[in-house]
Amino acid sequence: MRARDKVAVSALRATLAALDNAEAVPVDEAETRGVALEASPAGAGATEAARRELSESDAADIVRAEAAERLDAAALLPTPAHADRVARLQAEAAVLLRFLDGHGTP
C-alpha cells in the first residue's frame, strides 16, 4: 500500500478475504432459530465461534486458486477489446504466485 501498487493491493486484499472466509465456521441453523430471549447468549464474545485454522498447504491452495481464477478470467476475455483488464488480471495473478514460488509464473 505504501508503494501505491494498486495491482498488488487489489490482489492481496481479495486473497486475504478468501483466506478469512475459509477460516469461517459454518453456522448451525438450529442455533439461530427459535431461541427464546431469556436463553439468548449475552455478554462480550458470547456469540463468538472459534475459527478454523488453515494449514500452510490449505492457505497455499487458496492463494493458487485465487491466481488461477484471475488467469482463467483473463483467458476468457477477448484480448484486443479488454487488453487492459487482461493485463491487470495477469499482473494480479503474478503477484499472488510470487508468494508461492518466488517467480511469479504459474
Side-chain angles (χ1 to χ4, degrees), residues 7 74 77-92:
V7 171
L77 292 171
T79 307
H82 299 281
D84 291 342
R85 182 70 179 139
V86 168
R88 183 174 177 116
L89 288 167
Q90 290 171 337
E92 287 183 9

Side-chain angles (χ1 to χ4, degrees), residues 16-103:
L16 287 172
L19 289 165
D20 193 44
N21 288 341
E23 292 175 335
V25 178
V27 176
D28 183 11
E29 286 186 37
E31 292 177 14
T32 60
R33 278 192 268 152
V35 177
L37 183 59
E38 61 274 5
S40 297
T47 59
E48 294 294 317
R51 308 274 294 168
R52 280 185 47 217
E53 285 201 33
L54 299 176
S55 69
E56 190 173 327
S57 174
D58 292 335
D61 288 345
I62 291 167
V63 173
R64 246 184 235 99
E66 288 290 310
E69 184 178 312
R70 283 161 176 75
L71 293 173
D72 291 346
L76 293 175
L77 292 171
T79 307
H82 299 281
D84 291 342
R85 182 70 179 139
V86 168
R88 183 174 177 116
L89 288 167
Q90 290 171 337
E92 287 183 9
V95 166
L96 297 175
L97 292 170
R98 276 196 305 264
F99 283 97
L100 298 175
D101 63 11
H103 304 292

